[in-house]
Amino acid sequence: MTKRFQRELTKVFSMPFRASVLTLYPEMFPGPLGVSLAGEGLRRGLWSLETHQIRDHGIGRHRNVDDNPAGGGAGMVLRCDVLGAAIDAAVPAGDMRPRLLMSPRGRPLAQRQVRDWVAGEGVVIVCGRFEGVDERVIEGRGLAEVSIGDYILSGGEMAALVLLDACVRLIPGVMGKELSGEDESFENGLLEYPHYTRPREWEGRGLPEALLSGDHARIAKWRRAEAERITRERRPDLLKDQSGG
C-alpha cells in the first residue's frame, strides 16, 4: 500500500466502510472478521457490518427461496423475485455502493479492485446458494459477479468473508502499522519477498548476507530482486501484466 493511497483513504473515511451482506446464513458473520485486528476495528467503528436474511422474503408459509431450474437439470435455483425483494429491502434508493455476487464464474478478485472498493463507501454482497441464482436478478439489480478462485464452495459466505477481509485490512487504523502492507504480495505487482527473523541460524540455515549488512539500499535491492525471482518462478503472468504482454 503506497503512502499516496493511504492519504487518499484518510480523506475519504469521514464515514466508516459499510458492508451489507445478504445471506441465508447470517450467523456465519462476522465469523473470523470479529477477532484480531478486523474485529477490533469493527468494535471501534472503523467499519460496519450488517447482515440481511434472504429467507425473510421467501414465498409462502415455509418461506421458500428456491425452485427447480427452468428447462430441467440438477439442483435448485435461487428465485429472482425473492432475492430481488431482499436486495430492495437491504439497499435503500440512492445507495451507490457496488452490488457484488460471489460466484465462481465472476471476475477474479484482485488487489487493485479491493483498493477501489475501500476508497468508496463500502460494498453490498450477495451470497448465493444452491445451483445458482436466477440470471434475471443479476441483470435487474446490477450485480457484479466476483470469484475468489477456480473452485466450488457450498455457498458465497466463505467467499464474502475473504473479500471483506481483503477490504477491511486496508482501512486506515485497522492494521497495527498502517503501511505494513506496502510490500505485500500483489500491492506492487509482485509476490512478496522472503521474510526472516531470529535466531540468526536454525538447523544449519543462516540469514541472507544482505539482511545482515545494515545497508538499507542493499537490503531494498535484495528484497526487490527476490520478489522478482519468486514472481517469475511462481506467477509469471503477473510480470506479463506489468509489461502489457
Side-chain angles (χ1 to χ4, degrees):
M1 190 189 311
T2 65
K3 293 181 179 179
R4 179 181 178 184
F5 179 55
Q6 280 287 339
R7 289 195 298 268
E8 291 175 352
L9 286 182
T10 302
K11 293 177 183 178
V12 169
F13 271 85
S14 56
M15 295 293 289
F17 178 90
R18 296 186 300 124
S20 299
V21 178
L22 288 85
T23 172
L24 291 171
Y25 299 97
E27 62 271 21
M28 294 180 69
F29 297 86
L33 298 178
V35 299
S36 190
L37 297 177
E40 180 62 25
L42 185 61
R43 288 185 288 274
R44 291 169 54 198
L46 297 179
W47 69 288
S48 66
L49 172 66
E50 57 184 25
T51 57
H52 301 270
Q53 173 58 269
I54 296 173
R55 195 171 296 279
D56 289 345
H57 303 273
I59 305 298
R61 184 178 66 178
H62 297 293
R63 299 288 186 181
N64 293 328
V65 299
D66 60 328
D67 210 328
N68 295 311
M76 303 292 281
V77 177
L78 192 59
R79 294 176 57 126
C80 54
D81 51 354
V82 171
L83 185 53
I87 294 172
D88 293 344
V91 185
D95 191 327
M96 301 303 294
R97 289 177 297 165
R99 302 176 180 186
L100 312 177
L101 171 65
M102 307 313 301
S103 166
R105 73 178 193 180
R107 290 187 175 181
L109 180 63
Q111 190 69 12
R112 58 182 177 276
Q113 181 63 76
V114 171
R115 288 196 296 266
D116 289 342
W117 290 330
V118 176
E121 298 178 2
V123 292
V124 176
I125 304 177
V126 176
C127 300
R129 280 273 163 173
F130 314 118
E131 190 66 23
V133 173
D134 190 309
E135 189 73 19
R136 291 171 293 180
V137 74
I138 298 176
E139 298 171 355
R141 294 300 180 269
L143 303 181
E145 296 179 73
V146 180
S147 170
I148 64 166
D150 296 338
Y151 45 86
I152 307 299
L153 299 173
S154 300
E157 287 79 12
M158 297 299 292
L161 289 168
V162 169
L163 186 151
L164 287 175
D165 184 77
C167 290
V168 169
R169 63 185 302 280
L170 295 184
I171 297 173
V174 170
M175 294 181 69
K177 182 180 179 183
E178 290 188 359
L179 293 181
S180 65
E182 184 174 345
D183 292 323
E184 291 184 338
S185 294
F186 308 114
E187 279 293 352
N188 56 12
L190 299 172
L191 298 182
E192 197 169 6
Y193 53 77
H195 292 280
Y196 297 89
T197 185
R198 296 173 180 170
R200 184 163 179 164
E201 184 173 327
W202 178 75
E203 294 187 351
R205 294 174 172 86
L207 296 177
E209 193 64 31
L211 300 182
L212 300 173
S213 67
D215 185 333
H216 296 296
R218 182 182 176 189
I219 292 172
K221 183 177 179 180
W222 178 88
R223 286 175 170 170
R224 175 73 185 191
E226 285 295 293
E228 292 176 348
R229 176 186 64 79
I230 292 174
T231 304
R232 186 166 51 251
E233 292 174 354
R234 303 180 186 181
R235 290 291 305 275
D237 56 298
L238 295 177
L239 296 176
K240 291 180 180 179
D241 289 344
Q242 290 189 50
S243 65

